Amino acid sequence: MNYSAAHEVALDKFQSCSLEEMSRCSGYPIKDNSLLIDFLGQHFELDYPRGTFKPIQVSDGELPIATQILILHYVSNLSEPFEVGSFISYKELPGGAIYIKPFTGRAIDPLVRIFGSAPESLLAVAKHLGGQANGLGDVGITYKVFPRVPIALILWRADEEFPASGNILFDASAPTVLPTEDFAVLASTVVFGFKRIKARL
C-alpha cells in the first residue's frame, strides 16, 4: 500500500496544530521542540514542525510509515478524550460492522495464533509494558497504547469443544479519538508489537 499521500495529509494537520495543544490533548510531554513519544516500548522524539521521529536509543529502531501516520493522527486530533471505563467492540465503532471481517483477519486472528496456546505470555508482555490484567476471558489485559487510548486484548483457552478464541475491545471514548479505520491499524500494530516483545522476554 502506498502511504505517502496519507502521510502528507497527516503531516499537514500536525503542522497546523500548536505543540502545546498537542501535548495537552495527547498526554505526551514536550522536550525542546519535540513531543516525547513512548509507543509499545519504543521511545522517540517527534520533531515539531518537521514531523520526523528520532529514536532516543539506537535499540528503539525505526517506526513503519503506517505507525508514524497513526501517531500523527493521534497527536493532532486535539479532542480531549475522557475515558469512559467501559469497553466496546470494533463493530460498535462508527461503520465498524462493515469492516469486522478484515479487522478480525488483521488483528483478532493473529492475536489467537500468537498467544492462544500460551495466554499467560500475553499477560507477561502487557505487564512488561505497564499494562494489567482486566479479568475478562480466561486471560485479559488492558494496555494504554497511547496515553489516552486503552485497549483490551482477551483470550479464551481451547477446550474439547472449541478452539482458542479472542477479542479486542476499545474504550467507549474511542470514536472521539481516532477514525474507525485507524483502530484496525492500531489493534494489528499492538498484536505484532506484543509478538516482537514476547520473543525477547
Side-chain angles (χ1 to χ4, degrees):
M1 184 174 172
N2 183 358
Y3 285 108
S4 56
H7 184 249
E8 221 153 284
V9 171
L11 214 47
D12 282 350
K13 190 170 180 203
F14 172 75
Q15 289 165 344
S16 72
C17 301
S18 82
L19 190 59
E20 291 70 27
E21 259 196 306
M22 287 192 285
S23 173
R24 184 173 60 81
C25 294
S26 71
Y28 283 129
I30 296 172
K31 182 193 171 193
D32 302 325
N33 264 345
S34 301
L35 288 174
L36 290 179
I37 307 290
D38 177 356
F39 187 79
L40 284 166
Q42 294 172 285
H43 308 275
F44 299 89
E45 290 181 13
L46 171 53
D47 178 80
Y48 183 81
R50 284 181 306 177
T52 52
F53 289 82
K54 181 183 157 202
I56 289 175
Q57 294 175 318
V58 180
S59 60
D60 286 319
E62 281 188 41
L63 279 175
I65 191 82
T67 308
Q68 293 185 31
I69 293 167
L70 200 56
I71 294 171
L72 289 170
H73 283 177
Y74 171 70
V75 299
S76 62
N77 174 41
L78 301 190
S79 75
E80 294 194 46
F82 293 100
E83 285 168 43
V84 177
S86 59
F87 285 109
I88 57 173
S89 67
Y90 190 78
K91 64 181 177 214
E92 293 172 86
L93 294 170
I98 305 162
Y99 298 107
I100 191 65
K101 204 170 171 195
F103 174 76
T104 302
R106 191 173 185 175
I108 295 174
D109 291 347
L111 171 68
V112 175
R113 201 166 55 242
I114 296 161
F115 292 99
S117 59
E120 294 72 21
S121 62
L122 177 69
L123 188 57
V125 173
K127 286 189 168 170
H128 177 73
L129 290 171
Q132 57 196 39
N134 59 22
L136 300 172
D138 288 329
V139 173
I141 64 99
T142 300
Y143 169 64
K144 285 196 175 184
V145 196
F146 294 129
R148 296 188 171 158
V149 180
I151 183 172
L153 306 181
I154 305 157
L155 288 168
W156 288 269
R157 289 185 180 87
D159 59 25
E160 283 110 43
E161 285 183 64
F162 299 104
S165 62
N167 204 356
I168 297 174
L169 305 176
F170 308 94
D171 189 82
S173 63
T176 67
V177 187
L178 287 168
T180 298
E181 192 183 317
D182 277 357
F183 281 104
V185 180
L186 186 68
S188 173
T189 304
V190 168
V191 169
F192 286 100
F194 272 39
K195 180 187 180 183
R196 171 175 53 80
I197 291 158
K198 178 191 175 198
R200 296 206 311 257
L201 288 181

